[in-house]
């Protein structure tokens, strides 16, 4: 990285840990493929991470999973600094009120990351793992995060070489203008078939967008009429979350 000095071994070890965002259990071969490292290097790094308690190896399957040190570290996250922890009670309250899945997303470069979620208690529900990375071009939360990003960042997002051909950029820009005016974004089967969503921004202490609060569910329940009903409580929840930051 230009302008920064990094330790290659540490980078590789962290890359291995990040693989577990995609799957809870991984074999040496899978990790080597995902990190594009040779197996001997991966094996040595895995042995170190296992020895330090960051990974655990199943003796029967020979697969690795996150170890107790990860959970020990996460237990010491500051609730006041981490919105994923700070906002969780309000997200649970909103879920109980509207009976659909509530998620919190942040932007990371040209993607959005689901950093917290409270799943609907209904039998049929949308399930996406915390830590999942998704495109900004589609989905209500992606559009919210883009709409309230600086114009320079919006230009980078719209210039993404992986921009999907199915999304018309002119129409997308018009959607962003409407979202900035109303503070609301909706989507119907944009990212995932059979799913609709509503999203609103949460602004930080500095006035910049911090996260996108989203409600999602099957289109059979979260119809356009239902989305209109849930918008007021979703906006109220976002306002309460913002006040918690002051």
């Amino acid at each position: 990285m230009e302008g920064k000095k990094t330790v290659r071994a540490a980078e590789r070890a962290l890359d291995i840990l990040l693989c577990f965002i995609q799957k809870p259990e991984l074999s040496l071969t899978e990790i080597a493929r995902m990190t594009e490292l040779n197996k001997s290097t991966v094996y040595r790094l895995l042995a170190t991470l296992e020895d330090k308690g960051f990974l655990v190896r199943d003796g029967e399957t020979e697969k690795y999973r996150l170890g107790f040190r990860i959970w020990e570290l996460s237990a010491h996250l500051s609730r006041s600094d981490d919105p994923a922890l700070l906002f969780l009670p309000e997200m649970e309250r909103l879920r109980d009120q509207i009976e659909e899945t509530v998620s919190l997303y942040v932007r990371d470069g040209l993607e959005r990351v689901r950093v917290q979620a409270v799943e609907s208690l209904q039998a049929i529900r949308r399930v996406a793992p915390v830590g999942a990375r998704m495109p900004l071009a589609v989905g209500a939360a992606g559009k919210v995060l883009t709409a309230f990003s600086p114009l320079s960042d919006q230009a980078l997002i719209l210039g993404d070489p992986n921009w999907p051909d199915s999304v018309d950029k002119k129409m997308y820009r018009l959607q962003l203008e409407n979202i900035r005016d109303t503070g609301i974004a909706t989507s119907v089967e944009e990212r995932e078939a059979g799913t609709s969503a509503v999203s609103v921004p949460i602004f930080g202490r500095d006035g910049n967008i911090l996260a996108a609060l989203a409600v999602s569910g099957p289109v059979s329940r979260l119809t356009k009429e239902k989305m209109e009903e849930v918008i007021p409580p979703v906006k109220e929840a976002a306002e309460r979350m913002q006040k918690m930051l002051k």
Side-chain angles (χ1 to χ4, degrees), residues 110 136-138 143 146 153-180:
L110 301 179
L136 292 166
V138 292
K143 290 184 287 188
T146 303
D153 288 357
Q154 290 184 32
L156 291 174
I157 293 166
L158 286 161
D160 183 359
N162 295 316
W163 186 272
D165 294 334
S166 59
V167 180
D168 182 82
K169 289 187 179 182
K170 183 178 180 180
M171 184 62 66
Y172 188 81
R173 288 190 180 95
L174 291 174
Q175 288 180 325
L176 296 184
E177 290 180 13
N178 183 63
I179 293 164
R180 285 191 291 271

Side-chain angles (χ1 to χ4, degrees), residues 1-2 13 17 24 30 33 40 49 58-59 70 76-77 80 94 96 114 117 131-132 136-137 148 152 181 223 232:
M1 282 182 255
E2 189 175 348
L17 291 176
E30 289 174 315
R33 184 180 70 250
S40 61
L49 290 168
D58 188 309
I70 296 291
H76 291 281
L77 282 171
S80 62
L94 181 61
D96 293 343
R114 194 185 199 215
L136 292 166
F148 293 98
S152 57
D181 289 339
T223 61

Side-chain angles (χ1 to χ4, degrees), residues 12 14 19 35 60 73-74 96 104 106 108 119 122 125 149 151-152 182 217:
R12 289 173 170 175
L14 291 171
C19 289
T35 57
E60 294 185 5
L73 286 173
S74 66
D96 293 343
L104 189 71
V106 298
D108 183 18
E119 301 291 352
Q122 302 203 51
R125 60 186 184 273
S149 291
L151 291 178
S152 57
T182 63

Side-chain angles (χ1 to χ4, degrees), residues 71-168:
W71 314 120
E72 196 172 4
L73 286 173
S74 66
H76 291 281
L77 282 171
S78 171
R79 181 173 289 272
S80 62
D81 295 333
D82 186 355
L85 295 175
L86 182 65
F87 298 156
L88 183 57
E90 279 295 337
M91 293 175 67
E92 291 174 337
R93 174 179 173 179
L94 181 61
R95 186 273 313 274
D96 293 343
Q97 184 178 2
I98 63 178
E99 300 183 330
E100 295 294 353
T101 296
V102 178
S103 302
L104 189 71
Y105 292 92
V106 298
R107 183 169 74 87
D108 183 18
L110 301 179
E111 297 177 305
R112 58 183 165 114
V113 183
R114 194 185 199 215
V115 296
Q116 186 60 278
V118 181
E119 301 291 352
S120 168
L121 300 178
Q122 302 203 51
I124 299 175
R125 60 186 184 273
R126 177 186 177 279
V127 179
V130 170
R133 289 180 171 270
M134 304 173 192
L136 292 166
V138 292
K143 290 184 287 188
V144 162
L145 291 169
T146 303
F148 293 98
S149 291
L151 291 178
S152 57
D153 288 357
Q154 290 184 32
L156 291 174
I157 293 166
L158 286 161
D160 183 359
N162 295 316
W163 186 272
D165 294 334
S166 59
V167 180
D168 182 82

